[in-house]
Amino acid sequence: MDTVTVTARLDEARTADSRTRDRICDEVAAELLAAEAPPSFEVRSADLRLDPYFMCADRYWRQRFLERPTARTALECARWMSDHVGDGSWGAVAEQWGLGNGFLNRGSVESVDQIAGAVGEAGTGTEAERVAFFLALFHAGKLRANFCFDELHAFLVSSPVSLAANSLRQAPVFLALRSFAAFGSRALTVAYAAELLEQAWSSSERTRHTVDICLNGLAFATPFEEQGELLRSHAEEAVETYPGDHMFHARLATGLHMCGRHDEALASIDTALALLAASPTASLSVLQDQYLTKRDAIQEGRLRAVRDAEHQRRWEQQAAANVQLERSLHTSSVRAVEVVAVFTAAIAFAVGSLQVTLTGKLPLTDRLWLLAAQGAGLALFALLIVGGTWLITRSHQQVNSGGE
């Protein structure tokens, strides 16, 4: 297929509806693959929805990577990009193809030496740095997809491939990948990962892929304190910036779920599913399964939270009832002691008074005084028992009140 024909068909696709555009791009890419001829047109954006030139090139190189997911293919793609992708779009295209094709071909991971061999053929200068950067993204995309956190961190920090990228290693997407690796590693600290996250997130050159990797790292990090809150706050910012991105709504749902805000999480994951249904992504079914699994987890968490709240309420009611019962039993026992003391004093007085009255030989006046003294003594005894019991129980109640 000659360049004029390809250009005419892609220009036709630019004004067509989305289904016709997809069909034309698929057909042109298939014909280029059959002719073993790389696209000869230029790519000026990384828009997978509206730019038929990028869409066609994306399909062409995706198939090339699927047929041979090696650093050699990545080298050929990087060289093609040097000649056919403008400087203004090169970074976005490199991130899309490097990370995306790395994810799609995660089952085929080469050694660092194999990748370094390809970089050695890139020459020198700016083009060589870009080639190294693209190969680094391609390999990092595989390691990220396989959650090889420590291996990914070592590759990004010290491999010859990454070092060959020179200043491009300070790109936000590169810092985000290091943050992702650090959050998942059990050998690195959360503080180190958070510092890298902040550097990538606050960069004025932050891209959509940078945001995605940062949120991905927080979502799959080794659990740490405030993880859910950190993910929620960053995901909310991402949703504000990219309101139509289903992935960021799904990340927000994960953060809200971690924070125990299940109703909000359910709303976010439903939004993600709705946006996904209208997305042209090639991995629709895979992502849909992931989102539905997350939705089930949120539903389960919500039901568990409701059950836990009910159990907590019942436990608190039972605890309050137990305290009330304890107080009632304690008060009853105290009153019983008081009654026994008074009753004992009354019996003692009655017995004593009978003895004095019936068997006494003292004059009446003396017997009356004796009875009065005996009654006063027994009354004082009962009063001391009752008063002492009151003081003891009052102190006990004050201690219990202070503890509550």
Side-chain angles (χ1 to χ4, degrees):
M1 182 183 297
D2 60 88
T3 303
V4 175
T5 304
V6 170
T7 301
R9 295 189 65 183
L10 293 180
D11 284 342
E12 176 190 353
R14 191 184 296 277
T15 58
D17 60 78
S18 59
R19 288 192 176 185
T20 303
R21 187 183 305 119
D22 285 338
R23 178 181 56 78
I24 293 174
C25 292
D26 286 337
E27 290 175 353
V28 173
E31 292 176 11
L32 291 172
L33 286 165
E36 298 183 354
S40 58
F41 51 79
E42 291 188 1
V43 171
R44 297 185 176 88
S45 78
D47 190 342
L48 275 173
R49 296 178 64 90
L50 300 176
D51 186 353
Y53 287 90
F54 177 71
M55 295 167 63
C56 179
D58 179 74
R59 286 160 169 77
Y60 173 85
W61 283 109
R62 184 192 307 166
Q63 188 60 40
R64 289 282 303 275
F65 276 105
L66 289 174
E67 291 174 355
R68 195 174 65 164
T70 64
R72 183 69 53 186
T73 305
L75 175 61
E76 294 175 11
C77 181
R79 285 174 170 170
W80 182 90
M81 289 169 56
S82 297
D83 296 330
H84 297 86
V85 179
D87 290 341
S89 304
W90 185 89
V93 173
E95 291 182 14
Q96 179 69 31
W97 287 353
L99 296 170
N101 286 297
F103 175 83
L104 293 175
N105 297 281
R106 57 192 177 276
S108 176
V109 180
E110 298 174 282
S111 68
V112 175
D113 292 337
Q114 289 174 306
I115 304 171
V119 172
E121 301 179 22
T124 59
T126 302
E127 181 178 352
E129 292 181 5
R130 287 186 168 185
V131 169
F133 180 75
F134 183 75
L135 265 66
L137 290 182
F138 178 60
H139 188 66
K142 294 180 179 181
L143 297 178
R144 173 197 172 199
N146 292 327
F147 300 103
C148 300
F149 299 107
D150 292 314
E151 187 177 350
L152 174 59
H153 183 265
F155 171 76
L156 294 171
V157 171
S158 59
S159 71
V161 182
S162 297
L163 295 176
N166 291 329
S167 61
L168 294 178
R169 296 174 65 236
Q170 297 305 313
V173 69
F174 222 85
L175 296 174
L177 285 167
R178 289 174 58 192
S179 173
F180 171 88
F183 271 123
S185 173
R186 297 184 182 274
L188 301 170
T189 65
V190 173
Y192 171 71
E195 181 180 356
L196 291 169
L197 171 71
E198 182 58 29
Q199 292 178 25
W201 195 267
S202 60
S203 174
S204 59
E205 299 177 355
R206 186 182 76 185
T207 63
R208 187 265 171 200
H209 284 285
T210 300
V211 174
D212 179 44
I213 295 169
C214 286
L215 297 181
N216 191 199
L218 287 171
F220 288 93
T222 300
F224 63 92
E225 190 175 356
E226 299 299 327
Q227 177 186 3
E229 184 60 31
L230 195 61
L231 175 57
R232 181 203 59 78
S233 61
H234 282 74
E236 283 185 346
E237 183 179 339
V239 166
E240 290 178 3
T241 307
Y242 303 92
D245 196 304
H246 58 83
M247 182 65 72
F248 297 155
H249 284 276
R251 297 295 186 214
L252 177 57
T254 299
L256 291 167
H257 184 208
M258 288 181 176
C259 294
R261 295 162 61 172
H262 304 292
D263 290 337
E264 296 172 75
L266 194 60
S268 291
I269 199 64
D270 285 343
T271 301
L273 284 165
L275 291 171
L276 178 65
S279 173
T281 179
S283 53
L284 173 62
S285 61
V286 175
L287 289 175
Q288 188 177 52
D289 289 342
Q290 292 178 2
Y291 293 175
L292 289 174
T293 300
K294 173 56 66 176
R295 192 181 193 281
D296 290 342
I298 293 171
Q299 287 273 46
E300 183 180 349
R302 183 177 181 276
L303 293 175
R304 188 184 303 112
V306 171
R307 289 195 297 268
D308 290 346
E310 178 63 19
H311 291 161
Q312 179 68 18
R313 185 185 65 82
R314 291 182 179 180
W315 184 88
E316 291 175 353
Q317 288 180 340
Q318 186 61 47
N322 291 341
V323 170
Q324 185 62 36
L325 178 60
E326 181 183 359
R327 287 176 178 173
S328 299
L329 292 174
H330 183 71
T331 301
S332 299
S333 62
V334 170
R335 297 288 86 81
V337 171
E338 294 173 349
V339 170
V340 169
V342 173
F343 188 68
T344 302
I347 293 176
F349 178 75
V351 173
S353 62
L354 286 175
Q355 290 180 345
V356 171
T357 302
L358 297 175
T359 62
K361 297 180 180 180
L362 295 174
L364 178 60
T365 302
D366 292 341
R367 279 185 286 175
L368 289 175
W369 277 109
L370 183 60
L371 289 173
Q374 184 180 12
L378 292 173
L380 179 60
F381 167 75
L383 183 62
L384 288 174
I385 294 297
V386 173
T389 304
W390 179 80
L391 286 174
I392 293 172
T393 56
R394 181 171 179 270
S395 300
H396 180 72
Q397 289 176 351
Q398 288 178 342
V399 170
N400 287 341
S401 299
E404 294 173 359

